Amino acid sequence: IKISGKTYPFGGACNRWYNLRTHIKVEEGDFNHVARYERIIFPLPAGPQEEKAVTARVIGINKSFMVNTYFALYRTFFENLGFRVVVPATAEQEGIDKKSAPFCYPAELAHGYFINLLKQDPDFLFLPQLKGDYVENGPDKGVSCPLSQGEPYYLAPAFKDHDVYSRIKASGRILNPVIDFSAGLSRAEEAFLEMADRLGAGRQRGITAFRRAVEEQTACANRLKETGTKALAAVEADPDSFGVVIFGR
């Protein structure tokens, strides 16, 4: 729009341009709880990695679906077995283009993230079928979305000709456990102990690693609850403010 001969960008219902024109500064970090959730689930390293960690065997985990909930558990489990965990940095269109059929957006992202993960050349791939999700105060039996469960099965044919994927598969280093958290995290222990055996760590070390993983996942969930509680309290304390809740995976 033009005011007194000067052109101003106008965002309609969005107040971004209004804030710019009137020099109103907003501390976005105080309001972006989506970014805060991301930092809690995928924390950055506290400092330079130790030489032992850098030279450890690497397990790649795709940044898709329920990994955005259970990454703390997965990462802690494998790190306690002596592995270094990597995740993709970004979802690439090159990977999305490899999908063999129309998918929902999260499944498209799974393809896009996966090719970025393969470019990191991990020693192992962890591609679980998460059969059931844990819901606090919910039923003891749950079933995850079929497209979420099927991720390891449709990524396999989509990337079968990729050099890194072919090499990892040929060496038997793709971990495809069926995991069911619906009755509680501890009820899924056997699937993790079988992986510990397969990785050469042994069941006893696997038991210790899994228990520490459950503790870390619980602590992560508590941090998320605390953050959410503070956010709700801030909205309630200010009658002129409002909150927007985003549901999704």
Side-chain angles (χ1 to χ4, degrees):
I1 59 174
K2 287 187 176 181
I3 302 176
S4 300
K6 187 173 182 179
T7 301
Y8 294 95
F10 178 68
C14 172
N15 66 345
R16 176 183 179 188
W17 304 116
Y18 175 82
N19 290 350
L20 290 175
R21 184 169 65 85
T22 56
H23 306 290
I24 297 176
K25 293 185 179 180
V26 177
E27 295 296 332
E28 297 180 13
D30 294 339
F31 299 99
N32 192 345
H33 294 291
V34 174
R36 188 165 289 141
Y37 178 96
E38 182 86 359
R39 290 194 297 270
I40 292 174
I41 298 295
F42 301 99
L44 295 173
Q49 291 183 309
E50 298 180 0
E51 182 178 351
K52 180 180 179 181
V54 173
T55 58
R57 290 183 297 172
V58 176
I59 289 185
I61 301 179
N62 205 21
K63 196 176 180 182
S64 57
F65 294 113
M66 299 303 291
V67 169
N68 292 281
T69 297
Y70 293 111
F71 181 71
L73 189 150
Y74 298 152
R75 173 184 56 80
T76 304
F77 176 74
F78 289 120
E79 286 181 350
N80 276 271
L81 294 183
F83 291 85
R84 183 164 63 91
V85 172
V86 297
V87 295
T90 186
E92 300 185 21
Q93 187 63 44
E94 179 186 358
I96 295 174
D97 290 342
K98 288 185 175 293
K99 67 184 191 298
S100 56
F103 282 106
C104 62
Y105 187 56
E108 288 189 355
L109 286 178
H111 288 76
Y113 277 126
F114 193 60
I115 198 164
N116 184 268
L117 180 62
L118 293 176
K119 289 179 180 180
Q120 298 187 48
D121 197 17
D123 300 303
F124 292 82
L125 287 171
F126 175 61
L127 292 172
Q129 176 191 342
L130 187 61
K131 185 177 179 181
D133 182 23
Y134 173 68
V135 178
E136 187 176 357
N137 299 320
D140 290 339
K141 200 67 178 176
V143 179
S144 298
C145 165
L147 287 176
S148 174
Q149 291 194 54
E151 179 187 15
Y153 310 114
Y154 53 71
L155 289 183
F159 293 90
K160 61 183 176 63
D161 296 325
H162 193 284
D163 290 343
V164 175
Y165 182 85
S166 298
R167 173 178 54 78
I168 296 175
K169 181 179 180 180
S171 61
R173 292 186 172 186
I174 298 179
L175 305 172
N176 288 134
V178 177
I179 299 173
D180 189 353
F181 286 132
S182 58
L185 301 181
S186 60
R187 298 288 291 275
E189 183 180 43
E190 185 58 32
F192 286 85
L193 299 187
E194 290 176 1
M195 280 195 294
D197 254 348
R198 182 175 172 184
L199 292 169
R203 291 179 67 87
Q204 192 56 49
R205 188 174 181 184
I207 290 173
T208 301
F210 182 71
R211 289 176 181 172
R212 290 176 179 171
V214 170
E215 290 173 0
E216 181 59 30
Q217 181 66 34
T218 302
C220 180
N222 289 337
R223 287 194 292 272
L224 291 173
K225 286 182 181 179
E226 181 182 352
T227 300
T229 299
K230 288 180 179 179
L232 291 175
V235 172
E236 292 177 354
D238 184 356
D240 295 326
S241 68
F242 63 92
V244 177
V245 180
I246 300 176
F247 291 92
R249 291 293 181 189

